[in-house]
């Protein structure tokens, strides 16, 4: 299959050629990665801070459940128009300024959400909650596009997938904290201001570090041949190339669909489970297991892919396994008293589904090179957010109110919703995207091939004396 070939040069050979070509990895790349990861983490906690306690928030502010859902859904809606701007900023203005602007938007949004509690005379608290979430949503488009760009510009070839994984998985870690922390903090309605104040702390720290510690968008010397030729296409030309790239379009549609399904899953999880008598704490635990196993799976899978370069195989297998587990969730979530089964299913959903996210963004860069990393990874995520809006609206539209059974733990003051049809539709969409990806997605790894071509050219052109300093594959430096 195309794209399955191993790197013809050994890691030692690549490192030695990199040294001769002036390629260098700087220690401060880890500082940049730390700041970006903290910012991604903070933004994710702000995104889903309301979802695990949606019924309590709705009751306190006299809002409907649909209005509370929009506090999370605004992230997906706002990212569609702002995502194109974010792609241009990353590839044209630079990674440093994109990160700093993102940090300030994120911090401002976290503060804006608390204003209804600081000024009691405010008559429409929902407008301030939505305004704060909108600012955070604008920040999200910058931060979630950045890991692939940072990995390409600052990290050598053998660390790119791992660096992308760390930056990307900090987002689900933030979701994990929100799922655990919000139910733990909000036992009563009077606890809501404390919850909002605590979420300001990581946002403020990320803003401080981004402003004080980031001084350049790119290192003085590139870490690899791919970094040396990064963003070689102009913005509009790059977008045109992406839209004409059949493999990229298929990956973007299928992976974007997966992003949309998982975004809807995390936002709606508490509302789906409370109908069958499961508590907010259990829903938070299921969300936490989903994230923990996703991060663990991503760590193992990224290390494996960094070594073998089996991007396509990892993504296809992950999608297939995810679709099977999604079907299981659609069925078991409609049953009562299945705490162990639901916890196991949510763990497997994270292990198989969330873990492929950083690999899929790396694959998007590989199959679209030399288009800039911001455009390649960003367009996939923008499409995913658009699909997320459609999926969430569709899933909620298919629900119907019914007489409240005695087992329901929903506290929104309205009758519980029947999610059976919605969950079956979610499973069907996941299966459809998986099948389409498996059968129709094929690509070659353009960036790896370009780097191998540069290395071969240097080996052929270098003098015999210089060649003696480059070890053969399998030898020790």
């Amino acid at each position: 299959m195309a794209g399955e070939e191993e790197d013809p040069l050994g890691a030692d050979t690549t490192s030695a050629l990199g040294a001769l070509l002036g390629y260098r990895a700087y220690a401060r790349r880890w500082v940049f990665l730390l700041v970006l990861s903290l910012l991604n983490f903070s933004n994710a906690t702000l995104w889903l801070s309301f979802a695990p306690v949606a019924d309590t928030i709705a009751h306190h502010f006299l809002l409907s459940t649909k209005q509370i859902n929009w506090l999370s859904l605004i992230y997906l809606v706002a990212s569609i128009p702002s995502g194109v701007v974010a792609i241009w900023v990353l590839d044209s203005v630079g990674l440093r300024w994109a990160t700093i602007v993102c940090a300030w938007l994120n911090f401002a949004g976290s503060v804006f959400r608390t204003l209804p509690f600081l000024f009691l005379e405010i008559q429409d608290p929902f407008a301030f909650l939505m305004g704060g979430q909108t600012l955070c949503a604008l920040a999200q488009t910058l931060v979630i596009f950045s890991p692939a760009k940072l990995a390409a510009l600052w990290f050598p070839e053998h660390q790119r997938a791992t660096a992308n994984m760390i930056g990307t998985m900090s987002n689900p870690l933030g979701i994990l904290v929100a799922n655990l922390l919000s139910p733990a903090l909000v036992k009563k309605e009077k606890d809501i201001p404390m919850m909002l104040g605590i979420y300001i702390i990581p946002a403020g720290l990320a803003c401080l570090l981004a402003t004080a510690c980031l001084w350049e968008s790119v290192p003085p010397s590139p870490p690899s041949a791919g970094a040396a030729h990064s963003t070689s296409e102009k913005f509009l030309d790059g977008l045109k190339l992406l839209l004409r790239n059949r493999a990229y379009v298929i990956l973007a549609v299928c992976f974007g669909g997966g992003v949309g399904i998982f975004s809807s899953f995390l936002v709606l999880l508490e509302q789906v489970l409370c109908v069958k008598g499961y508590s907010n704490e259990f829903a938070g635990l299921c969300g936490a297991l989903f994230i923990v196993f996703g991060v663990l799976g991503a760590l193992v899978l990224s290390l494996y892919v960094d070594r073998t370069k089996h991007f396509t195989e990892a993504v296809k297998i992950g999608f297939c396994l995810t679709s099977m587990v999604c079907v299981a969730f659609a069925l078991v979530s409609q049953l009562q008293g299945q705490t162990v089964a639901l916890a196991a299913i949510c763990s497997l959903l994270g292990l198989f589904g969330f873990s492929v996210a950083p690999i899929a963004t790396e694959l998007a860069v590989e199959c679209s090179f030399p288009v800039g990393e911001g455009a390649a990874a960003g367009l996939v995520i923008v499409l995913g957010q658009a699909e997320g809006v459609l999926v969430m609206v569709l899933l909620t539209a298919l629900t119907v109110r019914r007489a409240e059974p005695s087992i329901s733990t929903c506290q929104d003051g309205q009758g519980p919703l029947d999610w059976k049809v919605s969950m079956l539709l979610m499973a069907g969409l996941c299966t459809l995207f998986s099948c389409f990806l498996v059968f129709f997605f094929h690509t070659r790894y353009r960036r790896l091939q370009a780097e191998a071509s540069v290395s071969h050219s240097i080996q052929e052109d270098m003098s015999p004396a210089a060649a003696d300093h480059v070890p053969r594959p399998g030898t020790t430096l």
Side-chain angles (χ1 to χ4, degrees):
M1 181 183 295
E4 293 185 357
E5 64 270 12
E6 300 285 349
D7 182 0
L9 300 175
D12 292 339
T13 305
T14 303
S15 299
L17 286 172
L20 288 172
L21 292 170
Y23 299 150
R24 179 184 174 187
Y26 294 84
R28 60 183 179 274
R29 69 190 186 278
W30 298 107
V31 176
F32 211 138
L33 181 59
L34 171 65
V35 174
L36 189 63
S37 298
L38 178 59
L39 182 55
N40 209 350
F41 168 86
S42 169
N43 188 262
T45 62
L46 295 169
W47 172 34
L48 288 184
S49 54
F50 297 115
V53 288
D55 47 3
T56 306
I57 300 289
H59 188 267
H60 178 75
F61 290 110
L62 303 178
L63 302 172
S64 68
T65 303
K66 288 186 177 181
Q67 284 177 298
I68 298 301
N69 286 342
W70 270 100
L71 294 177
S72 301
L73 189 59
I74 188 62
Y75 264 63
L76 307 183
V77 174
S79 69
I80 298 170
S82 64
V84 178
V85 178
I87 291 171
W88 176 81
V89 170
L90 279 171
D91 282 343
S92 302
V93 177
L95 190 58
R96 175 188 174 237
W97 280 109
T99 305
I100 292 174
V101 171
C102 172
W104 279 99
L105 283 172
N106 190 63
F107 177 62
S110 69
V111 173
F112 202 74
R113 306 189 318 166
T114 65
L115 294 182
F117 298 96
L118 298 177
F119 305 98
L120 298 179
E121 66 274 10
I122 290 176
Q123 298 298 316
D124 188 9
F126 180 73
F128 285 85
L129 296 177
M130 180 63 78
Q133 289 295 94
T134 302
L135 290 175
C136 296
L138 296 176
Q140 187 205 37
T141 56
L142 289 168
V143 71
I144 62 175
F145 298 174
S146 298
K149 185 78 172 179
L150 177 65
L153 293 179
W154 283 85
F155 286 82
E157 176 194 337
H158 64 282
Q159 293 179 348
R160 282 196 301 239
T162 302
N164 195 354
M165 179 275 299
I166 294 172
T168 301
M169 287 295 106
S170 58
N171 184 278
L173 278 176
I175 298 173
L176 164 64
V177 170
N179 274 286
L180 293 178
L181 192 58
S182 290
L185 291 175
V186 181
K187 299 297 184 182
K188 299 179 180 179
E189 293 180 21
K190 64 181 179 64
D191 299 326
I192 296 174
M194 177 182 63
M195 177 194 77
L196 296 177
I198 288 176
Y199 284 127
I200 292 177
I201 297 173
L205 180 59
C207 185
L208 176 63
L209 292 176
T211 305
C213 299
L214 304 183
W215 295 98
E216 53 197 355
S217 293
V218 296
S221 298
S224 66
H229 296 86
S230 177
T231 322
S232 58
E233 296 291 339
K234 293 181 179 180
F235 175 68
L236 291 179
D237 292 337
L239 289 182
K240 292 177 182 178
L241 287 176
L242 291 178
L243 295 176
R244 290 199 295 262
N245 186 327
R246 179 175 178 270
Y248 178 86
V249 170
I250 292 174
L251 178 63
V253 171
C254 295
F255 177 60
V259 171
I261 288 171
F262 280 141
S263 298
S264 302
F265 170 83
L266 288 168
V267 171
L268 301 174
L269 180 60
E270 183 266 344
Q271 298 170 51
V272 172
L273 296 183
C274 75
V275 177
K276 296 300 178 180
Y278 300 102
S279 65
N280 284 357
E281 288 76 12
F282 177 71
L285 174 63
C286 287
L289 290 172
F290 176 78
I291 303 303
V292 168
F293 278 85
V295 172
L296 292 176
L299 175 61
V300 174
L301 194 60
S302 295
L303 293 173
Y304 170 78
V305 170
D306 258 336
R307 182 168 181 170
T308 64
K309 310 304 180 188
H310 290 163
F311 297 95
T312 302
E313 295 84 350
V315 171
K316 286 185 175 182
I317 292 173
F319 263 67
C320 291
L321 294 173
T322 300
S323 63
M324 290 189 288
V325 180
C326 196
V327 171
F329 178 82
L331 299 175
V332 178
S333 64
Q334 302 306 303
L335 304 176
Q336 304 171 23
Q338 301 296 320
T339 54
V340 175
L342 281 172
I345 288 171
C346 290
S347 301
L348 292 176
L349 267 178
L351 182 65
F352 299 142
F354 239 20
S355 61
V356 303
I359 309 303
T361 55
E362 281 291 297
L363 181 57
V365 175
E366 288 292 342
C367 74
S368 61
F369 187 84
V371 176
E373 297 82 11
L379 195 59
V380 168
I381 298 174
V382 168
L383 187 57
Q385 305 289 49
E387 292 180 72
V389 173
L390 295 176
V391 169
M392 189 179 296
V393 170
L394 186 58
L395 294 183
T396 54
L398 290 175
T399 59
V400 292
R401 294 281 177 189
R402 62 182 185 181
E404 184 169 354
S406 59
I407 60 168
S408 173
T409 59
C410 302
Q411 302 173 20
D412 61 355
Q414 306 175 58
L417 295 167
D418 187 344
W419 291 91
K420 182 184 298 183
V421 175
S422 299
M423 291 299 99
L424 291 175
L425 175 63
M426 183 181 75
L429 289 174
C430 188
T431 304
L432 176 64
F433 288 130
S434 299
C435 292
F436 197 80
L437 183 76
V438 168
F439 289 116
F440 297 106
F441 177 77
H442 307 284
T443 188
R444 57 191 178 92
Y445 303 153
R446 299 168 183 264
R447 182 172 60 177
L448 287 177
Q449 288 180 347
E451 290 171 341
S453 177
V454 170
S455 298
H456 281 303
S457 298
I458 296 299
Q459 279 188 310
E460 292 173 358
D461 295 342
M462 69 172 53
S463 65
D468 291 337
H469 293 284
V470 180
R472 297 180 181 277
T475 62
T476 303
L477 280 173

